[in-house]
C-alpha cells in the first residue's frame, strides 16, 4: 500500500494537475513543448531516436514541460517489415508539418518540437525545448481518461484559447509505454526494439470555435494494448502555421 501511494505521488509531481482515479490532467500556466518523433521499425537509424524520446519525462524535463509522442509511419514497409504501429494519418501529418516548415522531404527519424522541425535532433533538440518553454501559455487544456470496463475507455478533452488566432484545433492522443517488438525482416532484422509514448489512437482535429473546443469519445482498446501502460496527450495547434500553442499529457495514468 505504501509503495502504491508513493507511486501515485511521484506521477502527480510529473504533471501540472493530475487526478489518479480517472487520469484527469490540466495544463499549467507555462507552455509545455510537444515533442513529436516520426519513426519506423523498418529504419535502422531510428532506434537511437526512439531511445531519446523514451528519456522523457526526466529529472530535467517533467510532463509539465515536455509532452512526448511517437508516431510510426508506414512508408518503409516496402523494405520488408510491415510497421505494426503505423497509421496512414501519421505519414500525412508528417508531410503537412514538413510543408509548414518550408521543406519537401520526409524522413525518419524526424523530430518536431511544438510544430518546428528539428533536423539535427542530437544537437538542437535541447535548444528548441528551451525556446518553447520560455513562451507564455496562450491556451489551456484539460484531458480526462477513464476505464469503462469491457475494453472501453472514455476520453474527454476541452481547450480554451480566447486571445489566440483563428483556425486553431484540439488534438487528443492515446499512447502506450514499454512496448517491445521483435523485428524479423527489413533493416532491423533480428533486433528486439523498445518503444515508449507510441500513439495508439488519434482524435482530431477538433476546431476551436470562439476560442473553445470540447470532445467526449469512447475508445475501444485492442487485445495487443497493455492498459497499465496507457497514457493521454492533448494539444492545441494553429492549423495555418503548424505551431503548437500548448500541450499536456500523462503517462501510465490508467494503471490500477
Amino acid at each position: 500500500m505504501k509503495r502504491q501511494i508513493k507511486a501515485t505521488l511521484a506521477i502527480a509531481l510529473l504533471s501540472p494537475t493530475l487526478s489518479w482515479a480517472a487520469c484527469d490532467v490540466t495544463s499549467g500556466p507555462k507552455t509545455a513543448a510537444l515533442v513529436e518523433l516520426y519513426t519506423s521499425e523498418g529504419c535502422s537509424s531510428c532506434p537511437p531516436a526512439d531511445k531519446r524520446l523514451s528519456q522523457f519525462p526526466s529529472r530535467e524535463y517533467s510532463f509539465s514541460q515536455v509532452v512526448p509522442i511517437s508516431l510510426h509511419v508506414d512508408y518503409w514497409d516496402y523494405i520488408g517489415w510491415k510497421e505494426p504501429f503505423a497509421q496512414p494519418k501519421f505519414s500525412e501529418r508528417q508531410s503537412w508539418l514538413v510543408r509548414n516548415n518550408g521543406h519537401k522531404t520526409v524522413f525518419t527519424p524526424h523530430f518536431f518540437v511544438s510544430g518546428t522541425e528539428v533536423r539535427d535532433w542530437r544537437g538542437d533538440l535541447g535548444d528548441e525545448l528551451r525556446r518553447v518553454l520560455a513562451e507564455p501559455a496562450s491556451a489551456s487544456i484539460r484531458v480526462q481518461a477513464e476505464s469503462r470496463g469491457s475494453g472501453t475507455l472514455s476520453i474527454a478533452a476541452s481547450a480554451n484559447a480566447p486571445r489566440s488566432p483563428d483556425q486553431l484545433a484540439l488534438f487528443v492522443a492515446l499512447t502506450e509505454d514499454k512496448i517491445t517488438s521483435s523485428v524479423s525482416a527489413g533493416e532491423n532484422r533480428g533486433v528486439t526494439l523498445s518503444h515508449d509514448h507510441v500513439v495508439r489512437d488519434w482524435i482530431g482535429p477538433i476546431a476551436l470555435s470562439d476560442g473553445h473546443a470540447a470532445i467526449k469519445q469512447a475508445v475501444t482498446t485492442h487485445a495487443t494494448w497493455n492498459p497499465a501502460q496507457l497514457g493521454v496527450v492533448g494539444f492545441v495547434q494553429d492549423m495555418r502555421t503548424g505551431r503548437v500553442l500548448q500541450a499536456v499529457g500523462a503517462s501510465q495514468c490508467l494503471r490500477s
Side-chain angles (χ1 to χ4, degrees):
M1 185 65 178
K2 289 182 178 179
R3 289 183 179 179
Q4 184 176 0
I5 292 172
K6 288 180 180 179
T8 301
L9 292 175
I11 296 297
L13 291 173
L14 292 176
S15 304
T17 305
L18 180 63
S19 170
W20 187 254
C23 188
D24 188 341
V25 60
T26 303
S27 61
K30 296 183 179 180
T31 300
L34 179 74
V35 177
E36 296 179 64
L37 170 61
Y38 290 85
T39 184
S40 170
E41 291 192 337
C43 154
S44 61
S45 59
C46 285
D50 295 333
K51 184 177 180 180
R52 180 68 183 95
L53 192 76
S54 292
Q55 293 171 356
F56 299 113
S58 65
R59 291 183 179 180
E60 185 178 6
Y61 296 111
S62 69
F63 252 120
S64 65
Q65 297 172 302
V66 174
V67 180
I69 56 175
S70 176
L71 299 104
H72 288 236
V73 296
D74 58 4
Y75 49 75
W76 293 121
D77 286 4
Y78 75 93
I79 294 176
W81 177 251
K82 182 175 176 59
E83 171 59 59
F85 310 114
Q87 297 185 33
K89 67 180 70 175
F90 298 160
S91 300
E92 295 168 5
R93 176 173 172 81
Q94 183 187 14
S95 296
W96 175 72
L97 286 171
V98 167
R99 291 193 300 270
N100 276 319
N101 278 268
H103 298 289
K104 297 180 180 180
T105 305
V106 297
F107 56 89
T108 56
H110 204 175
F111 276 94
F112 293 82
V113 175
S114 293
T116 297
E117 183 181 40
V118 182
R119 293 207 161 196
D120 180 12
W121 60 269
R122 288 182 175 89
D124 298 338
L125 187 59
D127 291 338
E128 284 300 317
L129 291 176
R130 287 186 285 272
R131 178 187 63 79
V132 172
L133 295 178
E135 298 175 354
S138 52
S140 61
I141 309 166
R142 181 181 183 184
V143 182
Q144 300 165 283
E146 184 176 8
S147 174
R148 294 297 187 185
S150 302
T152 302
L153 299 176
S154 175
I155 305 292
S158 60
N160 290 284
R163 294 182 297 277
S164 297
D166 294 333
Q167 299 186 36
L168 298 182
L170 169 66
F171 292 84
V172 178
L174 187 67
T175 64
E176 185 177 346
D177 290 342
K178 302 187 184 307
I179 297 174
T180 59
S181 179
S182 297
V183 181
S184 60
E187 292 184 351
N188 290 314
R189 181 178 181 179
V191 177
T192 298
L193 300 177
S194 299
H195 309 294
D196 291 299
H197 316 300
V198 175
V199 175
R200 288 298 208 172
D201 199 74
W202 185 267
I203 303 171
I206 301 124
L208 271 69
S209 177
D210 296 325
H212 177 74
I215 181 73
K216 187 170 184 179
Q217 184 168 318
V219 174
T220 301
T221 61
H222 290 241
T224 57
W225 299 2
N226 182 356
Q229 299 296 337
L230 295 179
V232 288
V233 166
F235 62 94
V236 171
Q237 189 160 36
D238 187 328
M239 301 306 291
R240 297 173 302 173
T241 66
R243 172 176 170 254
V244 174
L245 279 68
Q246 182 62 295
V248 69
S251 181
Q252 303 173 26
C253 60
L254 296 174
R255 181 181 295 180
S256 59

